[in-house]
Amino acid sequence: MNRLSTERRGQIVGCLVEGMSIRATVRVTGAAKNTISSLLVDLGQACTEYQDGALSNLDLRTIEADEIWAFCYSKQKNVPDEFQGTFGYGDVWTWTALDADTKLVPSWLVGERTVEDCYTFLRDLRSRLLPGQRIQLTTDGLGIYRPVVDALWGSAIDFAQIVKEYDSPTEAEQRKYSPAKNCRIVDVTVHSGNPNGDKISTSYVERQNLTMRMGMRRFTRLTNGFSKKVENLAHAVSLHYMNYNFARIHQSLTLDGRKRTPAMAAGVAEYPWSTTQIAALLD
C-alpha cells in the first residue's frame, strides 16, 4: 500500500464508496486485490479514529434510529455447526442514527440485534451530543429500544416509536423480490417527553438504508458481494460514513447557493472533502 500514491488511493476509495466490489475495483484501477483489501482495513481504521474525534459536542436535536440487516460468511441457515452462535457468522445488524435536520450520521454500530449492542450504540450517540442536550428520538417498533432509552436518558428526552404496516403481498408478488407497497397503518407511541408530532418519523434513516445498499457492495441483496469477515464489513461502514458525512454533497442542504455536506451543515467541516483527502488520512 505504501507504493500507492495518495491520488491512486483516492481513485480506489472513489470506486469503493460508489458501490463497486473489490474485484470490480481491481478491474477499473489495476491495483492488486490484496492491496485494495489492505487499504480498506487501514483506511477504515483511520476513518473511525478521525470521526471519533470530529463527531463530538454536536448540536443535534431530531434523531432517527434504525437497524439494517446484512450477513457475513454465509446466510444464517448455512452457517456451519461449529460457528453457530458466533458473532460474524450469519446475520449481522448495523445500527444507525441520523439527524433529520443536517442528515449527519453521528453514530453507528456493526453488531447484533441485542439489548447489549443497543445500549452500546445509544450510549455512543449520547456521548457525541452537547452536554445536557435534549433530543427528540424516533425509532421503529423494536422492543429493546424503550428500556435502553429509559436507562440512558430517563425523562430527559422526547422519545417516540413508529410502526408501519403494509398491504400483504399477492401470491405473484411473493414469487419475486420486490419492496412492500401501500403503507396502510402508521402506529405512533410516545414513551417520554413531548415530541413534535410533525417530526416523529423514520423516513430519513430508512432512506439512509437505501444509500448504504447502493454505496456498499457488501449490503447489496441477492449477490455474492457479501463480506466474508465482519471486521472488513465494519471497516467498509466506517469508510462509507466518512464519505457520506464529509464528502457527499446533499442538494437538500444547499444554503445561499453553497452546496454542503452533512458535516458542513452540522458545523464540523468547512468544505466538502474529496476522496483523495479521505485517502490522505493515512499520511
PDB file of all heavy atoms in Angstrom, residues 78-114:
ATOM      1  N   ASN A  78     -27.096 -21.320   6.546  1.00  0.00           N
ATOM      2  CA  ASN A  78     -25.982 -22.103   6.019  1.00  0.00           C
ATOM      3  C   ASN A  78     -24.737 -22.054   6.896  1.00  0.00           C
ATOM      4  O   ASN A  78     -23.692 -22.579   6.508  1.00  0.00           O
ATOM      5  CB  ASN A  78     -25.623 -21.619   4.605  1.00  0.00           C
ATOM      6  CG  ASN A  78     -26.757 -21.807   3.620  1.00  0.00           C
ATOM      7  OD1 ASN A  78     -27.499 -22.786   3.703  1.00  0.00           O
ATOM      8  ND2 ASN A  78     -26.895 -20.869   2.691  1.00  0.00           N
ATOM      9  N   VAL A  79     -24.823 -21.427   8.062  1.00  0.00           N
ATOM     10  CA  VAL A  79     -23.667 -21.341   8.949  1.00  0.00           C
ATOM     11  C   VAL A  79     -23.319 -22.747   9.467  1.00  0.00           C
ATOM     12  O   VAL A  79     -24.199 -23.458   9.963  1.00  0.00           O
ATOM     13  CB  VAL A  79     -23.965 -20.402  10.143  1.00  0.00           C
ATOM     14  CG1 VAL A  79     -22.806 -20.420  11.145  1.00  0.00           C
ATOM     15  CG2 VAL A  79     -24.201 -18.979   9.652  1.00  0.00           C
ATOM     16  N   PRO A  80     -22.052 -23.176   9.358  1.00  0.00           N
ATOM     17  CA  PRO A  80     -21.660 -24.494   9.860  1.00  0.00           C
ATOM     18  C   PRO A  80     -21.909 -24.626  11.357  1.00  0.00           C
ATOM     19  O   PRO A  80     -21.931 -23.632  12.092  1.00  0.00           O
ATOM     20  CB  PRO A  80     -20.153 -24.561   9.537  1.00  0.00           C
ATOM     21  CG  PRO A  80     -19.957 -23.577   8.436  1.00  0.00           C
ATOM     22  CD  PRO A  80     -20.952 -22.483   8.679  1.00  0.00           C
ATOM     23  N   ASP A  81     -22.102 -25.832  11.807  1.00  0.00           N
ATOM     24  CA  ASP A  81     -22.424 -26.084  13.214  1.00  0.00           C
ATOM     25  C   ASP A  81     -21.368 -25.505  14.149  1.00  0.00           C
ATOM     26  O   ASP A  81     -21.695 -24.985  15.224  1.00  0.00           O
ATOM     27  CB  ASP A  81     -22.558 -27.588  13.463  1.00  0.00           C
ATOM     28  CG  ASP A  81     -23.797 -28.167  12.787  1.00  0.00           C
ATOM     29  OD1 ASP A  81     -24.704 -27.383  12.465  1.00  0.00           O
ATOM     30  OD2 ASP A  81     -23.833 -29.393  12.566  1.00  0.00           O
ATOM     31  N   GLU A  82     -20.080 -25.589  13.750  1.00  0.00           N
ATOM     32  CA  GLU A  82     -19.023 -25.121  14.650  1.00  0.00           C
ATOM     33  C   GLU A  82     -19.022 -23.604  14.824  1.00  0.00           C
ATOM     34  O   GLU A  82     -18.400 -23.075  15.747  1.00  0.00           O
ATOM     35  CB  GLU A  82     -17.646 -25.568  14.153  1.00  0.00           C
ATOM     36  CG  GLU A  82     -17.241 -25.036  12.783  1.00  0.00           C
ATOM     37  CD  GLU A  82     -17.608 -25.976  11.650  1.00  0.00           C
ATOM     38  OE1 GLU A  82     -18.602 -26.716  11.807  1.00  0.00           O
ATOM     39  OE2 GLU A  82     -16.897 -25.965  10.627  1.00  0.00           O
ATOM     40  N   PHE A  83     -19.720 -22.887  13.930  1.00  0.00           N
ATOM     41  CA  PHE A  83     -19.773 -21.428  14.028  1.00  0.00           C
ATOM     42  C   PHE A  83     -21.139 -20.912  14.472  1.00  0.00           C
ATOM     43  O   PHE A  83     -21.341 -19.699  14.533  1.00  0.00           O
ATOM     44  CB  PHE A  83     -19.398 -20.789  12.690  1.00  0.00           C
ATOM     45  CG  PHE A  83     -17.993 -21.068  12.247  1.00  0.00           C
ATOM     46  CD1 PHE A  83     -17.722 -21.521  10.957  1.00  0.00           C
ATOM     47  CD2 PHE A  83     -16.938 -20.886  13.116  1.00  0.00           C
ATOM     48  CE1 PHE A  83     -16.433 -21.778  10.554  1.00  0.00           C
ATOM     49  CE2 PHE A  83     -15.636 -21.141  12.720  1.00  0.00           C
ATOM     50  CZ  PHE A  83     -15.392 -21.588  11.430  1.00  0.00           C
ATOM     51  N   GLN A  84     -22.070 -21.809  14.741  1.00  0.00           N
ATOM     52  CA  GLN A  84     -23.390 -21.381  15.191  1.00  0.00           C
ATOM     53  C   GLN A  84     -23.270 -20.590  16.491  1.00  0.00           C
ATOM     54  O   GLN A  84     -22.593 -20.994  17.423  1.00  0.00           O
ATOM     55  CB  GLN A  84     -24.295 -22.594  15.407  1.00  0.00           C
ATOM     56  CG  GLN A  84     -24.769 -23.262  14.130  1.00  0.00           C
ATOM     57  CD  GLN A  84     -25.804 -22.433  13.381  1.00  0.00           C
ATOM     58  OE1 GLN A  84     -26.407 -21.500  13.944  1.00  0.00           O
ATOM     59  NE2 GLN A  84     -26.021 -22.762  12.118  1.00  0.00           N
ATOM     60  N   GLY A  85     -23.928 -19.424  16.541  1.00  0.00           N
ATOM     61  CA  GLY A  85     -23.898 -18.579  17.730  1.00  0.00           C
ATOM     62  C   GLY A  85     -22.672 -17.712  17.854  1.00  0.00           C
ATOM     63  O   GLY A  85     -22.524 -16.980  18.842  1.00  0.00           O
ATOM     64  N   THR A  86     -21.771 -17.747  16.855  1.00  0.00           N
ATOM     65  CA  THR A  86     -20.557 -16.934  16.872  1.00  0.00           C
ATOM     66  C   THR A  86     -20.786 -15.665  16.076  1.00  0.00           C
ATOM     67  O   THR A  86     -21.195 -15.727  14.900  1.00  0.00           O
ATOM     68  CB  THR A  86     -19.366 -17.709  16.281  1.00  0.00           C
ATOM     69  OG1 THR A  86     -19.179 -18.922  17.016  1.00  0.00           O
ATOM     70  CG2 THR A  86     -18.091 -16.873  16.349  1.00  0.00           C
ATOM     71  N   PHE A  87     -20.532 -14.514  16.695  1.00  0.00           N
ATOM     72  CA  PHE A  87     -20.729 -13.247  16.001  1.00  0.00           C
ATOM     73  C   PHE A  87     -19.806 -13.167  14.787  1.00  0.00           C
ATOM     74  O   PHE A  87     -18.629 -13.502  14.852  1.00  0.00           O
ATOM     75  CB  PHE A  87     -20.449 -12.075  16.940  1.00  0.00           C
ATOM     76  CG  PHE A  87     -20.498 -10.739  16.253  1.00  0.00           C
ATOM     77  CD1 PHE A  87     -21.648 -10.301  15.628  1.00  0.00           C
ATOM     78  CD2 PHE A  87     -19.382  -9.916  16.231  1.00  0.00           C
ATOM     79  CE1 PHE A  87     -21.699  -9.077  14.984  1.00  0.00           C
ATOM     80  CE2 PHE A  87     -19.421  -8.672  15.600  1.00  0.00           C
ATOM     81  CZ  PHE A  87     -20.583  -8.264  14.975  1.00  0.00           C
ATOM     82  N   GLY A  88     -20.359 -12.703  13.678  1.00  0.00           N
ATOM     83  CA  GLY A  88     -19.591 -12.604  12.446  1.00  0.00           C
ATOM     84  C   GLY A  88     -19.897 -13.709  11.466  1.00  0.00           C
ATOM     85  O   GLY A  88     -19.392 -13.696  10.337  1.00  0.00           O
ATOM     86  N   TYR A  89     -20.733 -14.639  11.886  1.00  0.00           N
ATOM     87  CA  TYR A  89     -21.162 -15.723  11.008  1.00  0.00           C
ATOM     88  C   TYR A  89     -22.682 -15.696  10.924  1.00  0.00           C
ATOM     89  O   TYR A  89     -23.374 -15.920  11.912  1.00  0.00           O
ATOM     90  CB  TYR A  89     -20.688 -17.084  11.538  1.00  0.00           C
ATOM     91  CG  TYR A  89     -19.187 -17.240  11.527  1.00  0.00           C
ATOM     92  CD1 TYR A  89     -18.425 -16.812  12.611  1.00  0.00           C
ATOM     93  CD2 TYR A  89     -18.533 -17.798  10.440  1.00  0.00           C
ATOM     94  CE1 TYR A  89     -17.053 -16.944  12.613  1.00  0.00           C
ATOM     95  CE2 TYR A  89     -17.154 -17.945  10.425  1.00  0.00           C
ATOM     96  CZ  TYR A  89     -16.420 -17.511  11.512  1.00  0.00           C
ATOM     97  OH  TYR A  89     -15.054 -17.642  11.508  1.00  0.00           O
ATOM     98  N   GLY A  90     -23.195 -15.401   9.752  1.00  0.00           N
ATOM     99  CA  GLY A  90     -24.644 -15.289   9.591  1.00  0.00           C
ATOM    100  C   GLY A  90     -25.123 -13.849   9.710  1.00  0.00           C
ATOM    101  O   GLY A  90     -24.469 -12.918   9.227  1.00  0.00           O
ATOM    102  N   ASP A  91     -26.256 -13.656  10.359  1.00  0.00           N
ATOM    103  CA  ASP A  91     -26.883 -12.334  10.437  1.00  0.00           C
ATOM    104  C   ASP A  91     -26.011 -11.328  11.172  1.00  0.00           C
ATOM    105  O   ASP A  91     -25.469 -11.614  12.238  1.00  0.00           O
ATOM    106  CB  ASP A  91     -28.232 -12.429  11.160  1.00  0.00           C
ATOM    107  CG  ASP A  91     -29.257 -13.248  10.386  1.00  0.00           C
ATOM    108  OD1 ASP A  91     -29.047 -13.459   9.180  1.00  0.00           O
ATOM    109  OD2 ASP A  91     -30.259 -13.669  10.988  1.00  0.00           O
ATOM    110  N   VAL A  92     -25.901 -10.133  10.593  1.00  0.00           N
ATOM    111  CA  VAL A  92     -25.209  -9.004  11.217  1.00  0.00           C
ATOM    112  C   VAL A  92     -26.091  -7.773  11.029  1.00  0.00           C
ATOM    113  O   VAL A  92     -26.641  -7.553   9.951  1.00  0.00           O
ATOM    114  CB  VAL A  92     -23.825  -8.768  10.586  1.00  0.00           C
ATOM    115  CG1 VAL A  92     -23.172  -7.531  11.201  1.00  0.00           C
ATOM    116  CG2 VAL A  92     -22.925  -9.978  10.766  1.00  0.00           C
ATOM    117  N   TRP A  93     -26.227  -6.991  12.083  1.00  0.00           N
ATOM    118  CA  TRP A  93     -27.068  -5.796  12.041  1.00  0.00           C
ATOM    119  C   TRP A  93     -26.206  -4.556  12.246  1.00  0.00           C
ATOM    120  O   TRP A  93     -25.333  -4.537  13.110  1.00  0.00           O
ATOM    121  CB  TRP A  93     -28.149  -5.851  13.117  1.00  0.00           C
ATOM    122  CG  TRP A  93     -29.157  -6.930  12.869  1.00  0.00           C
ATOM    123  CD1 TRP A  93     -29.078  -8.237  13.240  1.00  0.00           C
ATOM    124  CD2 TRP A  93     -30.399  -6.789  12.174  1.00  0.00           C
ATOM    125  NE1 TRP A  93     -30.192  -8.932  12.827  1.00  0.00           N
ATOM    126  CE2 TRP A  93     -31.029  -8.059  12.169  1.00  0.00           C
ATOM    127  CE3 TRP A  93     -31.049  -5.715  11.561  1.00  0.00           C
ATOM    128  CZ2 TRP A  93     -32.263  -8.278  11.571  1.00  0.00           C
ATOM    129  CZ3 TRP A  93     -32.290  -5.928  10.977  1.00  0.00           C
ATOM    130  CH2 TRP A  93     -32.883  -7.207  10.982  1.00  0.00           C
ATOM    131  N   THR A  94     -26.459  -3.528  11.449  1.00  0.00           N
ATOM    132  CA  THR A  94     -25.769  -2.249  11.598  1.00  0.00           C
ATOM    133  C   THR A  94     -26.760  -1.216  12.125  1.00  0.00           C
ATOM    134  O   THR A  94     -27.760  -0.900  11.474  1.00  0.00           O
ATOM    135  CB  THR A  94     -25.187  -1.766  10.264  1.00  0.00           C
ATOM    136  OG1 THR A  94     -24.271  -2.748   9.769  1.00  0.00           O
ATOM    137  CG2 THR A  94     -24.443  -0.445  10.452  1.00  0.00           C
ATOM    138  N   TRP A  95     -26.499  -0.741  13.338  1.00  0.00           N
ATOM    139  CA  TRP A  95     -27.338   0.283  13.969  1.00  0.00           C
ATOM    140  C   TRP A  95     -26.894   1.654  13.447  1.00  0.00           C
ATOM    141  O   TRP A  95     -25.700   1.950  13.398  1.00  0.00           O
ATOM    142  CB  TRP A  95     -27.170   0.248  15.482  1.00  0.00           C
ATOM    143  CG  TRP A  95     -27.497  -1.068  16.129  1.00  0.00           C
ATOM    144  CD1 TRP A  95     -26.721  -2.188  16.133  1.00  0.00           C
ATOM    145  CD2 TRP A  95     -28.670  -1.382  16.883  1.00  0.00           C
ATOM    146  NE1 TRP A  95     -27.342  -3.192  16.840  1.00  0.00           N
ATOM    147  CE2 TRP A  95     -28.540  -2.723  17.311  1.00  0.00           C
ATOM    148  CE3 TRP A  95     -29.813  -0.666  17.248  1.00  0.00           C
ATOM    149  CZ2 TRP A  95     -29.510  -3.365  18.081  1.00  0.00           C
ATOM    150  CZ3 TRP A  95     -30.784  -1.293  18.011  1.00  0.00           C
ATOM    151  CH2 TRP A  95     -30.631  -2.629  18.422  1.00  0.00           C
ATOM    152  N   THR A  96     -27.841   2.485  13.063  1.00  0.00           N
ATOM    153  CA  THR A  96     -27.512   3.812  12.552  1.00  0.00           C
ATOM    154  C   THR A  96     -28.404   4.869  13.187  1.00  0.00           C
ATOM    155  O   THR A  96     -29.581   4.622  13.455  1.00  0.00           O
ATOM    156  CB  THR A  96     -27.687   3.884  11.016  1.00  0.00           C
ATOM    157  OG1 THR A  96     -29.029   3.524  10.672  1.00  0.00           O
ATOM    158  CG2 THR A  96     -26.715   2.956  10.323  1.00  0.00           C
ATOM    159  N   ALA A  97     -27.820   6.036  13.433  1.00  0.00           N
ATOM    160  CA  ALA A  97     -28.563   7.195  13.924  1.00  0.00           C
ATOM    161  C   ALA A  97     -28.331   8.341  12.952  1.00  0.00           C
ATOM    162  O   ALA A  97     -27.189   8.582  12.534  1.00  0.00           O
ATOM    163  CB  ALA A  97     -28.101   7.588  15.327  1.00  0.00           C
ATOM    164  N   LEU A  98     -29.390   9.032  12.575  1.00  0.00           N
ATOM    165  CA  LEU A  98     -29.291  10.115  11.601  1.00  0.00           C
ATOM    166  C   LEU A  98     -30.031  11.334  12.119  1.00  0.00           C
ATOM    167  O   LEU A  98     -31.140  11.215  12.655  1.00  0.00           O
ATOM    168  CB  LEU A  98     -29.866   9.663  10.254  1.00  0.00           C
ATOM    169  CG  LEU A  98     -29.833  10.673   9.111  1.00  0.00           C
ATOM    170  CD1 LEU A  98     -29.526   9.962   7.783  1.00  0.00           C
ATOM    171  CD2 LEU A  98     -31.184  11.411   8.966  1.00  0.00           C
ATOM    172  N   ASP A  99     -29.407  12.503  11.959  1.00  0.00           N
ATOM    173  CA  ASP A  99     -30.052  13.757  12.347  1.00  0.00           C
ATOM    174  C   ASP A  99     -30.898  14.252  11.182  1.00  0.00           C
ATOM    175  O   ASP A  99     -30.391  14.446  10.069  1.00  0.00           O
ATOM    176  CB  ASP A  99     -28.995  14.799  12.710  1.00  0.00           C
ATOM    177  CG  ASP A  99     -29.617  16.158  13.006  1.00  0.00           C
ATOM    178  OD1 ASP A  99     -30.511  16.223  13.860  1.00  0.00           O
ATOM    179  OD2 ASP A  99     -29.220  17.149  12.354  1.00  0.00           O
ATOM    180  N   ALA A 100     -32.188  14.437  11.415  1.00  0.00           N
ATOM    181  CA  ALA A 100     -33.117  14.786  10.344  1.00  0.00           C
ATOM    182  C   ALA A 100     -32.856  16.166   9.770  1.00  0.00           C
ATOM    183  O   ALA A 100     -33.230  16.439   8.622  1.00  0.00           O
ATOM    184  CB  ALA A 100     -34.557  14.704  10.849  1.00  0.00           C
ATOM    185  N   ASP A 101     -32.232  17.050  10.528  1.00  0.00           N
ATOM    186  CA  ASP A 101     -32.010  18.421  10.069  1.00  0.00           C
ATOM    187  C   ASP A 101     -30.754  18.556   9.215  1.00  0.00           C
ATOM    188  O   ASP A 101     -30.769  19.237   8.188  1.00  0.00           O
ATOM    189  CB  ASP A 101     -31.936  19.365  11.267  1.00  0.00           C
ATOM    190  CG  ASP A 101     -33.215  19.353  12.085  1.00  0.00           C
ATOM    191  OD1 ASP A 101     -34.298  19.364  11.477  1.00  0.00           O
ATOM    192  OD2 ASP A 101     -33.127  19.312  13.332  1.00  0.00           O
ATOM    193  N   THR A 102     -29.665  17.931   9.629  1.00  0.00           N
ATOM    194  CA  THR A 102     -28.398  18.073   8.906  1.00  0.00           C
ATOM    195  C   THR A 102     -28.068  16.856   8.058  1.00  0.00           C
ATOM    196  O   THR A 102     -27.116  16.892   7.284  1.00  0.00           O
ATOM    197  CB  THR A 102     -27.246  18.290   9.896  1.00  0.00           C
ATOM    198  OG1 THR A 102     -27.082  17.114  10.709  1.00  0.00           O
ATOM    199  CG2 THR A 102     -27.509  19.490  10.791  1.00  0.00           C
ATOM    200  N   LYS A 103     -28.807  15.748   8.224  1.00  0.00           N
ATOM    201  CA  LYS A 103     -28.568  14.466   7.556  1.00  0.00           C
ATOM    202  C   LYS A 103     -27.264  13.822   8.015  1.00  0.00           C
ATOM    203  O   LYS A 103     -26.803  12.847   7.418  1.00  0.00           O
ATOM    204  CB  LYS A 103     -28.562  14.626   6.027  1.00  0.00           C
ATOM    205  CG  LYS A 103     -29.790  15.336   5.463  1.00  0.00           C
ATOM    206  CD  LYS A 103     -31.070  14.636   5.858  1.00  0.00           C
ATOM    207  CE  LYS A 103     -32.285  15.294   5.217  1.00  0.00           C
ATOM    208  NZ  LYS A 103     -32.551  16.653   5.690  1.00  0.00           N
ATOM    209  N   LEU A 104     -26.668  14.343   9.073  1.00  0.00           N
ATOM    210  CA  LEU A 104     -25.433  13.769   9.600  1.00  0.00           C
ATOM    211  C   LEU A 104     -25.726  12.432  10.279  1.00  0.00           C
ATOM    212  O   LEU A 104     -26.744  12.281  10.954  1.00  0.00           O
ATOM    213  CB  LEU A 104     -24.795  14.724  10.616  1.00  0.00           C
ATOM    214  CG  LEU A 104     -23.437  14.290  11.182  1.00  0.00           C
ATOM    215  CD1 LEU A 104     -22.330  14.578  10.176  1.00  0.00           C
ATOM    216  CD2 LEU A 104     -23.148  15.023  12.497  1.00  0.00           C
ATOM    217  N   VAL A 105     -24.822  11.481  10.100  1.00  0.00           N
ATOM    218  CA  VAL A 105     -24.883  10.208  10.822  1.00  0.00           C
ATOM    219  C   VAL A 105     -23.780  10.252  11.880  1.00  0.00           C
ATOM    220  O   VAL A 105     -22.613  10.003  11.587  1.00  0.00           O
ATOM    221  CB  VAL A 105     -24.696   9.014   9.885  1.00  0.00           C
ATOM    222  CG1 VAL A 105     -24.663   7.702  10.669  1.00  0.00           C
ATOM    223  CG2 VAL A 105     -25.808   8.971   8.846  1.00  0.00           C
ATOM    224  N   PRO A 106     -24.124  10.602  13.129  1.00  0.00           N
ATOM    225  CA  PRO A 106     -23.097  10.777  14.154  1.00  0.00           C
ATOM    226  C   PRO A 106     -22.644   9.481  14.797  1.00  0.00           C
ATOM    227  O   PRO A 106     -21.587   9.435  15.421  1.00  0.00           O
ATOM    228  CB  PRO A 106     -23.792  11.674  15.191  1.00  0.00           C
ATOM    229  CG  PRO A 106     -25.239  11.286  15.077  1.00  0.00           C
ATOM    230  CD  PRO A 106     -25.463  10.954  13.630  1.00  0.00           C
ATOM    231  N   SER A 107     -23.447   8.420  14.672  1.00  0.00           N
ATOM    232  CA  SER A 107     -23.119   7.185  15.387  1.00  0.00           C
ATOM    233  C   SER A 107     -23.668   5.986  14.632  1.00  0.00           C
ATOM    234  O   SER A 107     -24.756   6.048  14.052  1.00  0.00           O
ATOM    235  CB  SER A 107     -23.704   7.234  16.807  1.00  0.00           C
ATOM    236  OG  SER A 107     -23.312   6.104  17.555  1.00  0.00           O
ATOM    237  N   TRP A 108     -22.893   4.911  14.646  1.00  0.00           N
ATOM    238  CA  TRP A 108     -23.326   3.645  14.056  1.00  0.00           C
ATOM    239  C   TRP A 108     -22.592   2.522  14.768  1.00  0.00           C
ATOM    240  O   TRP A 108     -21.584   2.723  15.436  1.00  0.00           O
ATOM    241  CB  TRP A 108     -23.036   3.613  12.553  1.00  0.00           C
ATOM    242  CG  TRP A 108     -21.582   3.689  12.222  1.00  0.00           C
ATOM    243  CD1 TRP A 108     -20.691   2.662  12.078  1.00  0.00           C
ATOM    244  CD2 TRP A 108     -20.824   4.896  12.012  1.00  0.00           C
ATOM    245  NE1 TRP A 108     -19.435   3.130  11.792  1.00  0.00           N
ATOM    246  CE2 TRP A 108     -19.484   4.500  11.742  1.00  0.00           C
ATOM    247  CE3 TRP A 108     -21.141   6.259  12.011  1.00  0.00           C
ATOM    248  CZ2 TRP A 108     -18.480   5.424  11.486  1.00  0.00           C
ATOM    249  CZ3 TRP A 108     -20.130   7.164  11.767  1.00  0.00           C
ATOM    250  CH2 TRP A 108     -18.828   6.752  11.507  1.00  0.00           C
ATOM    251  N   LEU A 109     -23.112   1.334  14.619  1.00  0.00           N
ATOM    252  CA  LEU A 109     -22.505   0.170  15.266  1.00  0.00           C
ATOM    253  C   LEU A 109     -22.807  -1.074  14.457  1.00  0.00           C
ATOM    254  O   LEU A 109     -23.967  -1.357  14.151  1.00  0.00           O
ATOM    255  CB  LEU A 109     -23.039  -0.009  16.691  1.00  0.00           C
ATOM    256  CG  LEU A 109     -22.555  -1.267  17.433  1.00  0.00           C
ATOM    257  CD1 LEU A 109     -21.079  -1.160  17.770  1.00  0.00           C
ATOM    258  CD2 LEU A 109     -23.385  -1.520  18.685  1.00  0.00           C
ATOM    259  N   VAL A 110     -21.769  -1.816  14.087  1.00  0.00           N
ATOM    260  CA  VAL A 110     -21.930  -3.108  13.436  1.00  0.00           C
ATOM    261  C   VAL A 110     -21.942  -4.164  14.533  1.00  0.00           C
ATOM    262  O   VAL A 110     -20.956  -4.330  15.250  1.00  0.00           O
ATOM    263  CB  VAL A 110     -20.788  -3.378  12.444  1.00  0.00           C
ATOM    264  CG1 VAL A 110     -20.922  -4.776  11.831  1.00  0.00           C
ATOM    265  CG2 VAL A 110     -20.783  -2.321  11.343  1.00  0.00           C
ATOM    266  N   GLY A 111     -23.071  -4.832  14.693  1.00  0.00           N
ATOM    267  CA  GLY A 111     -23.175  -5.789  15.794  1.00  0.00           C
ATOM    268  C   GLY A 111     -24.348  -6.714  15.626  1.00  0.00           C
ATOM    269  O   GLY A 111     -24.678  -7.151  14.516  1.00  0.00           O
ATOM    270  N   GLU A 112     -25.014  -6.988  16.735  1.00  0.00           N
ATOM    271  CA  GLU A 112     -26.167  -7.877  16.744  1.00  0.00           C
ATOM    272  C   GLU A 112     -27.386  -7.120  17.251  1.00  0.00           C
ATOM    273  O   GLU A 112     -27.268  -6.051  17.844  1.00  0.00           O
ATOM    274  CB  GLU A 112     -25.884  -9.090  17.637  1.00  0.00           C
ATOM    275  CG  GLU A 112     -24.707  -9.929  17.179  1.00  0.00           C
ATOM    276  CD  GLU A 112     -24.388 -11.053  18.153  1.00  0.00           C
ATOM    277  OE1 GLU A 112     -23.828 -10.760  19.228  1.00  0.00           O
ATOM    278  OE2 GLU A 112     -24.707 -12.214  17.833  1.00  0.00           O
ATOM    279  N   ARG A 113     -28.544  -7.694  17.034  1.00  0.00           N
ATOM    280  CA  ARG A 113     -29.793  -7.040  17.449  1.00  0.00           C
ATOM    281  C   ARG A 113     -30.110  -7.454  18.883  1.00  0.00           C
ATOM    282  O   ARG A 113     -31.080  -8.166  19.148  1.00  0.00           O
ATOM    283  CB  ARG A 113     -30.910  -7.452  16.497  1.00  0.00           C
ATOM    284  CG  ARG A 113     -31.870  -6.316  16.143  1.00  0.00           C
ATOM    285  CD  ARG A 113     -32.899  -6.815  15.163  1.00  0.00           C
ATOM    286  NE  ARG A 113     -33.749  -5.735  14.659  1.00  0.00           N
ATOM    287  CZ  ARG A 113     -34.867  -5.929  13.988  1.00  0.00           C
ATOM    288  NH1 ARG A 113     -35.260  -7.166  13.748  1.00  0.00           N
ATOM    289  NH2 ARG A 113     -35.578  -4.916  13.554  1.00  0.00           N
ATOM    290  N   THR A 114     -29.266  -6.991  19.813  1.00  0.00           N
ATOM    291  CA  THR A 114     -29.404  -7.369  21.212  1.00  0.00           C
ATOM    292  C   THR A 114     -29.497  -6.116  22.079  1.00  0.00           C
ATOM    293  O   THR A 114     -29.168  -5.004  21.639  1.00  0.00           O
ATOM    294  CB  THR A 114     -28.195  -8.196  21.674  1.00  0.00           C
ATOM    295  OG1 THR A 114     -26.997  -7.383  21.565  1.00  0.00           O
ATOM    296  CG2 THR A 114     -28.026  -9.449  20.821  1.00  0.00           C
TER     297      THR A 114
END
